[in-house]
């Protein structure tokens, strides 16, 4: 449980972690759903990782649609690896979550169970969301620079709040309604949340902004051929 990041703190911790940011829309600092819903954002408990299921989604995630008004995330991550700042308040990114999935986040459990059908938890109230630009078709690759930026983004938040990597969850781990994130990482195996959390764990073990760049520095997380790609992802 923690107080949400302020806009200034967002920029500070992301810069310290080595995340490049852009502010394409003036007013992102106050762009939120708090007033409209009557629900204050926070306290925050975790991080949700998404894919956009499309291209050129910046305007969409900022403005939303008539059925689902924006902002639709806190950060938007295109393939360039530069995070667009979208919101510092309540955002329509997660929707409802299953109780068992939410309990795992609250407990920072290393096991994230398949979500139950019932979804009583409003995850928009208590989570940060990153939308990663990707078609979500299982074939569109995440460039290394994009994947690394996503790891750094999640790491920055966990480091600031004192959370472990187990406070990070994929959208598909919170609800049966979603499949994201999905797809291959450039030069490596599929984007899985277990692997993503393993990389966040590696990053948290080092000072902010420091990343493994030697073969012996990287903890290999699989005993299969995937481990070859692991050695370059966090360079």
């Amino acid at each position: 449980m923690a107080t949400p990041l302020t806009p200034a703190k967002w920029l500070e911790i992301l810069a310290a972690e080595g995340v490049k940011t852009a502010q394409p829309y003036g007013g992102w600092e106050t762009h939120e759903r708090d007033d409209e819903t009557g629900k204050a954002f926070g306290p925050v408990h975790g991080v949700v990782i998404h894919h956009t299921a499309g291209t050129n989604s910046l305007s969409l995630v900022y403005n939303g649609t008539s059925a689902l008004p924006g902002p639709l995330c806190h950060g938007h991550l295109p393939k360039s690896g530069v995070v667009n700042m979208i919101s510092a308040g309540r955002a329509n990114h997660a929707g409802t979550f299953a109780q068992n999935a939410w309990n795992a986040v609250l407990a920072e459990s290393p096991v994230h169970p398949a979500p139950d059908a019932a979804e009583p938890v409003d995850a928009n109230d208590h989570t940060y969301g990153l939308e990663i630009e990707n078609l979500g078709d299982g074939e569109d690759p995440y460039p290394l620079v994009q994947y690394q930026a996503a790891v750094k983004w999640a790491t920055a938040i966990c480091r600031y709040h004192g959370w472990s990597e187990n406070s990070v969850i994929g959208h598909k781990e919170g609800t049966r309604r979603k499949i994201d994130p999905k797809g291959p990482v450039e030069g490596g195996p599929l984007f899985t949340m277990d692997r993503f959390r393993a990389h966040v764990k590696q990053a948290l073990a080092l000072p902010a902004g420091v990343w493994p760049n030697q073969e012996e520095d990287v903890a290999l997380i699989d005993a299969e051929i995937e481990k070859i790609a692991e050695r370059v992802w966090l360079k």
Side-chain angles (χ1 to χ4, degrees):
M1 184 175 72
T3 301
L5 291 158
T6 65
K9 187 58 70 173
W10 263 114
L11 298 178
E12 177 186 326
I13 70 166
L14 291 178
E17 208 66 52
V19 180
K20 296 179 180 179
T21 59
Q23 301 175 47
Y25 294 101
W28 72 270
E29 300 93 335
T30 57
H31 184 45
E32 30 79 353
R33 297 296 299 165
D34 298 48
D35 295 338
E36 292 81 356
T37 61
K39 297 181 177 182
F41 182 47
V44 284
H45 300 274
V47 176
V48 183
I49 304 298
H50 308 260
H51 66 228
T52 61
T55 60
N56 301 315
S57 303
L58 177 58
S59 176
L60 174 63
V61 299
Y62 188 87
N63 295 306
T65 67
S66 58
L68 188 66
L72 304 184
C73 57
H74 296 93
H76 167 264
L77 179 56
K79 291 182 182 291
S80 67
V82 178
V83 174
N84 294 306
M85 305 306 297
I86 300 298
S87 177
R90 191 177 194 275
N92 280 332
H93 71 97
T96 54
F97 271 15
Q99 189 66 59
N100 68 329
W102 186 239
N103 290 345
V105 174
L106 294 179
E108 293 188 284
S109 171
V111 178
H112 291 267
D116 293 334
E119 299 183 353
V121 179
D122 187 342
N124 292 333
D125 286 344
H126 305 294
T127 60
Y128 301 111
L130 178 67
E131 282 283 358
I132 306 174
E133 195 82 62
N134 189 275
L135 292 177
D137 59 0
E139 298 181 5
D140 185 24
Y142 297 86
L144 290 178
V145 67
Q146 184 187 37
Y147 177 81
Q148 291 162 4
V151 172
K152 293 178 181 181
W153 188 87
T155 299
I157 296 170
C158 291
R159 192 186 303 279
Y160 176 76
H161 286 307
W163 296 341
S164 78
E165 74 281 1
N166 294 312
S167 290
V168 183
I169 189 172
H171 202 185
K172 63 186 176 185
E173 294 178 308
T175 172
R176 297 182 183 182
R177 295 176 289 105
K178 300 293 182 177
I179 63 170
D180 52 322
K182 181 180 180 180
V185 177
E186 178 188 2
L190 294 177
F191 190 144
T192 71
M193 286 309 302
D194 284 343
R195 185 170 292 111
F196 188 89
R197 282 187 286 266
H199 284 133
V200 172
K201 181 179 181 178
Q202 290 179 23
L204 287 171
L206 297 169
V210 176
W211 299 88
N213 58 13
Q214 298 296 326
E215 181 174 307
E216 62 270 19
D217 289 336
V218 182
L220 303 182
I221 57 176
D222 286 327
E224 302 172 354
I225 192 66
E226 299 167 349
K227 65 185 180 183
I228 297 173
E230 293 288 335
R231 292 171 177 160
V232 300
W233 284 3
L234 294 183
K235 288 184 180 179

